[in-house]
Amino acid sequence: MLKKIPFSALFLIFSSTLFAQIVLPQEAEIGTGKVTAHVSTTGALIDGFFVPNANGGPPVSLLNEVSIWMCGVDPGGNLYMGIQQKDSVNDDFFGGFRGLPQSQGIWKVTRQQIAAHLADLNDNGHIDNPIPAIYGWPAFRNPFSLDYNGFAIDTFDRGITAPFQDVNYDDIYNPDDGDYPFGVEVGVFHMPTDMLFLPFHVDRPPPCGNPVFCFPTTLNCSALLFSYDCDDANFLEDAVFTRIALVSKATYTLDSFFLAYYVDGDIGGRKDDYMGTNDNRLYFYNADNYDEGGFGGSSPMLAFHGYLSLRDEDGNNVSAYSIMNINPGDGVPPPPQGTDDPNDAVEYYRYMTGSWRDGVPLTFGGYGKLGTQPTSFIFPGNPAHPNEWSEVSAQRPSGDRRAVISFGPATLVPNVTNYALFSLIHIPPNPIGEQLANMDSYTGAHFGFLYVDYFPPDPTPFDSIICLHPTTSTTSALERPIRIFPNPAHDQLTVQTETADVATIAIYSVLGVKEFSGNYTDHQTSTIQIGVKGLTPGIHLLQCIWKDGYKKTWKVLIE
């Protein structure tokens, strides 16, 4: 690579001076041109989600806070917990990679920068104009991290460093080789318009004070936010996605582990809001159809959608376990006793496991406390239907709405990377019934887009959407003939291509669980046979990754 600035020579002479001059951003924004999320390295992970104002005024936020809660039980029965809070004084999370205080910061890269990087490489086989966002990307073993960031990044867990496309499969992020920030691999990959990355960790040994227990310097984490500025697809224009990665560095397994998100929705003016739930989705809406906080009579909805998250003791992904609201203590009239903010580790854990802070389980009906039928999700009914349980039918007074959506129970094994994914979604102003239908449509499209590359009409609906064309390759899958047979398959599945250019094949269940993975980088034939007799019967997703990084996913049926 031809460098314009001789960083290595400068660092040999003036290393301490240059390190002091490297200042990483502590807050940043990511959006689609329509919605924007504000991210910070301290306090809440996301502390603003700005959306268009139908009245013609400036964008207004639908969100006060999204923070992460984590808690598990060690072999001795002790609770170990980390609670992220907007109040940074009591926050258990610290920005940066563990042991590198100078690594607290946020990295941002755009699809345009990645395209320019690849064009520079393809021009003559060398990088003539290094892009700092590419060369400073804090990915695993990046040899340029010391130059661009002031710290080396070769001793951290691969899973919590920034993800990247490893073009030569050497497990080292080296932009000189053509590697580039890759985004998030769920089932299918479409290059985002923007990506933000920030590392963080839990670093307070017990006792912590609030809560009284937390991970004893054992939990390493990172967040990758990504978005699609896509005029052709509203379901992408109205959303920002976040992937959380976490690795336990403890010497013991944590059981009954829950990952939860504390979500404080504010639809402009926070004093007249309601909330509701629908499976893995949490949503906030204006209670009286008129918002004093900026939207007036055209109030949008905020939806939080949690995707598959963590794994149970059998290795299966866990879905949402419960969604609870947390009542403000100053509500009028006062909420039922024991339904307000938690004060210690036990009370935090109770909220994550579907009980109020006083230990009373969530029950169906009313305020969710005084009933006899246990349930997992509060207010799951359609507010437009008077016979379904919602805040409208419960005749609750409107006000500030906060909730906890938790995923578990999972088993947190030491040194194993766990991933979780969620999205914040703007649902434009409409009657509540239409907004809920739009939420269903958006979240269904997100799942198809991220996991199976499928969204009606079948089979390739995204081909006409210009903003989703792959950055890594301009070759259509139609130009890479492939046969997958028999389909349905019982004992064996054959994948046949024209040339031996497939590097890896993975088979996922429709829930995103990887049931098979094979590496064929050194394979010399164009026919690959896979035994599928032990796979769970049903529809699966077969993903092929070519040696140049191109990906494509097909549906297969295992009988």
Side-chain angles (χ1 to χ4, degrees):
M1 185 195 78
L2 301 178
K3 282 192 167 184
K4 290 186 174 181
I5 301 175
F7 279 100
S8 58
L10 287 174
F11 268 88
L12 288 175
I13 303 173
F14 303 113
S15 59
S16 61
T17 302
L18 286 179
F19 286 167
Q21 293 175 351
I22 297 175
V23 179
L24 298 171
Q26 299 301 302
E27 56 183 336
E29 292 184 341
I30 184 170
T32 65
K34 185 175 182 180
V35 301
T36 302
H38 185 268
V39 183
S40 175
T41 63
T42 59
L45 176 63
I46 303 174
D47 57 10
F49 185 64
F50 295 88
V51 305
N53 190 337
N55 291 326
V60 181
S61 180
L62 301 180
L63 177 77
N64 180 52
E65 175 182 356
V66 172
S67 291
I68 300 170
W69 293 7
M70 300 179 186
C71 187
V73 181
D74 74 2
N78 302 302
L79 285 178
Y80 284 92
M81 180 176 295
I83 301 295
Q84 191 175 55
Q85 301 188 49
K86 196 169 185 179
D87 172 15
S88 59
V89 174
N90 292 314
D91 189 5
D92 295 333
F93 288 78
F94 290 79
F97 294 104
R98 183 182 305 281
L100 290 178
Q102 70 269 34
S103 65
Q104 178 173 317
I106 300 175
W107 287 259
K108 184 173 184 177
V109 67
T110 68
R111 182 168 51 188
Q112 288 77 10
Q113 290 171 324
I114 295 171
H117 171 71
L118 296 177
D120 188 354
L121 178 68
N122 293 332
D123 179 49
N124 57 10
H126 299 282
I127 299 295
D128 301 301
N129 298 291
I131 299 172
I134 304 291
Y135 276 80
W137 189 245
F140 188 60
R141 300 175 67 184
N142 179 359
F144 301 98
S145 180
L146 190 63
D147 290 354
Y148 285 86
N149 298 319
F151 60 86
I153 193 167
D154 53 2
T155 59
F156 295 95
D157 295 280
R158 169 80 155 80
I160 63 162
T161 55
F164 67 96
Q165 173 63 40
D166 187 7
V167 297
N168 59 357
Y169 301 99
D170 63 355
D171 206 31
I172 297 174
Y173 177 70
N174 189 339
D176 277 356
D177 294 338
D179 296 344
Y180 56 89
F182 187 66
V184 57
E185 178 182 348
V186 180
V188 182
F189 179 74
H190 297 283
M191 179 64 71
T193 305
D194 293 327
M195 291 180 279
L196 289 183
F197 177 83
L198 63 156
F200 51 95
H201 57 282
V202 179
D203 203 20
R204 286 183 178 175
C208 297
N210 184 17
V212 296
F213 299 99
C214 58
F215 288 98
T217 65
T218 59
L219 191 67
N220 294 338
C221 311
S222 65
L224 178 84
L225 291 88
F226 56 104
S227 62
Y228 298 89
D229 185 355
C230 191
D231 292 335
D232 304 306
N234 287 331
F235 72 96
L236 295 175
E237 281 263 288
D238 279 310
V240 171
F241 302 89
T242 302
R243 187 198 71 172
I244 303 296
L246 59 143
V247 176
S248 171
K249 305 305 294 182
T251 57
Y252 45 83
T253 296
L254 287 170
D255 292 314
S256 301
F257 180 85
F258 285 84
L259 168 66
Y261 304 98
Y262 172 82
V263 187
D264 183 353
D266 290 343
I267 310 301
R270 65 187 180 91
K271 291 297 186 180
D272 61 348
D273 291 344
Y274 272 164
M275 60 156 285
T277 64
N278 186 309
D279 294 328
N280 290 355
R281 296 171 295 197
L282 163 69
Y283 62 92
F284 300 84
Y285 58 103
N286 187 267
D288 58 9
N289 297 320
Y290 187 87
D291 173 68
E292 294 80 10
F295 293 114
S298 300
S299 297
M301 175 189 288
L302 169 68
F304 180 103
H305 186 198
Y307 300 83
L308 301 175
S309 172
L310 309 181
R311 296 182 184 275
D312 62 19
E313 61 183 5
D314 296 321
N316 300 315
N317 287 97
V318 297
S319 57
Y321 184 83
S322 71
I323 304 178
M324 305 274 299
N325 71 303
I326 297 181
N327 293 306
D330 58 355
V332 179
Q337 186 176 2
T339 65
D340 54 349
D341 292 298
N343 297 307
D344 57 37
V346 173
E347 293 181 356
Y348 276 95
Y349 194 56
R350 285 171 175 166
Y351 268 118
M352 291 187 233
T353 55
S355 294
W356 301 102
R357 73 174 181 87
D358 59 4
V360 177
L362 174 67
T363 54
F364 189 90
Y367 276 51
K369 186 173 185 183
L370 305 178
T372 58
Q373 179 184 344
T375 189
S376 298
F377 303 99
I378 197 166
F379 307 129
N382 187 328
H385 298 167
N387 295 325
E388 297 184 11
W389 182 35
S390 69
E391 291 214 70
V392 175
S393 65
Q395 299 183 348
R396 291 199 63 191
S398 61
D400 185 20
R401 289 299 182 260
R402 302 167 296 158
V404 174
I405 174 170
S406 67
F407 293 80
T411 301
L412 205 63
V413 178
N415 300 311
V416 174
T417 304
N418 291 265
Y419 297 106
L421 182 69
F422 70 84
S423 61
L424 289 173
I425 310 169
H426 161 242
I427 309 295
N430 267 313
I432 186 68
E434 293 182 33
Q435 288 183 313
L436 291 177
N438 285 339
M439 181 178 70
D440 287 341
S441 174
Y442 276 13
T443 54
H446 291 162
F447 185 88
F449 178 70
L450 294 170
Y451 286 90
V452 300
D453 202 17
Y454 175 84
F455 185 71
D458 188 37
T460 54
F462 300 119
D463 288 354
S464 63
I465 300 179
I466 297 175
C467 68
L468 300 182
H469 284 178
T471 298
T472 56
S473 174
T474 58
T475 304
S476 167
L478 296 177
E479 299 169 356
R480 302 187 185 204
I482 188 169
R483 292 183 62 215
I484 301 173
F485 62 92
N487 192 6
H490 180 67
D491 295 321
Q492 186 169 277
L493 192 65
T494 299
V495 177
Q496 190 175 71
T497 61
E498 286 192 340
T499 59
D501 55 357
V502 169
T504 61
I505 294 177
I507 299 178
Y508 298 83
S509 73
V510 291
L511 295 178
V513 178
K514 183 183 290 186
E515 297 190 0
F516 170 84
S517 180
N519 189 316
Y520 305 98
T521 304
D522 299 325
H523 206 66
Q524 301 300 313
T525 67
S526 59
T527 300
I528 299 171
Q529 294 181 330
I530 302 171
V532 297
K533 190 172 183 179
L535 272 59
T536 306
I539 296 175
H540 287 66
L541 313 172
L542 184 146
Q543 181 188 72
C544 288
I545 304 178
W546 276 259
K547 293 176 182 178
D548 64 357
Y550 185 83
K551 294 185 180 184
K552 190 66 178 177
T553 302
W554 290 264
K555 288 183 181 179
V556 295
L557 178 62
I558 308 299
E559 294 182 333

